[in-house]
Amino acid sequence: MQGTLRQRLLTALDGLTIPTCPDAEMDDTPRLDACADENEYASRVVEVGMQLALRRRMEARRLEIEEALARMDIGAYGVCEDCGDEIGAARLIANPTAKLCVHCQADRERAHYLRCA
Ligand SMILES: [Zn+2]
C-alpha cells in the first residue's frame, strides 16, 4: 500500500504549481501611483491578496506532502504523531498526508472548536 501512496504523493507534488508574484520585477504590494485609478488599485489589492492566499495554501500542501514522504523514508509513515497508534489504511488512502489517527484528529478538532467557539 505504501508504494501506491508514495506514487500518489509524488504525483500530487509534481502537479503542484505554486503561483509566482503577480509582478515579478516589483514586490507584491500594489501601488496606487502605478494604477490608473482607485478602482484599479482596489481590484489589484484583492487580486494580490487572493494570489498570496493561494500561494500560501499551495506551499502548505507541498510541505504536508514532503513531510509524508520523509515519514515514509524513516519508517514513521502511518503512525499517529500524538498517540503512536497505527493510522488506519482507509484513512491513509483517503488522506495520504494524515499525521494523526482518526481519534486524535477528532480530539484536536474538538479542542480547536472549543477554543474558537
Ligand atoms: Zn492518535
Side-chain angles (χ1 to χ4, degrees):
M1 181 186 78
Q2 245 187 59
T4 315
L5 290 179
R6 175 183 285 273
Q7 204 44 57
R8 270 178 60 193
L9 289 168
L10 289 171
T11 306
L13 201 55
D14 272 352
L16 270 188
T17 38
I18 302 202
T20 49
C21 301
D23 294 312
E25 309 93 70
M26 298 195 279
D27 68 72
D28 279 354
T29 316
R31 290 178 11 243
L32 185 54
D33 63 349
C35 296
D37 56 28
E38 285 177 12
N39 287 334
E40 190 196 320
Y41 176 69
S43 59
R44 292 279 298 128
V45 169
V46 170
E47 187 192 317
V48 168
M50 288 189 321
Q51 206 104 35
L52 286 175
L54 180 65
R55 194 163 67 190
R56 267 198 294 271
R57 248 197 332 270
M58 294 295 205
E59 282 169 352
R61 182 76 190 130
R62 180 171 65 189
L63 192 66
E64 277 173 10
I65 296 174
E66 285 170 351
E67 283 174 355
L69 290 166
R71 287 196 299 278
M72 281 180 180
D73 290 341
I74 62 168
Y77 184 76
V79 177
C80 176
E81 277 188 354
D82 275 7
C83 69
D85 276 358
E86 245 177 62
I87 302 173
R91 178 164 168 73
L92 287 173
I93 289 166
N95 176 11
T97 59
K99 290 192 261 189
L100 299 173
C101 73
V102 70
H103 304 292
C104 292
Q105 183 70 47
D107 283 351
R108 285 234 187 141
E109 278 165 19
R110 209 165 17 245
H112 180 77
Y113 175 76
L114 290 175
R115 255 200 322 277
C116 298

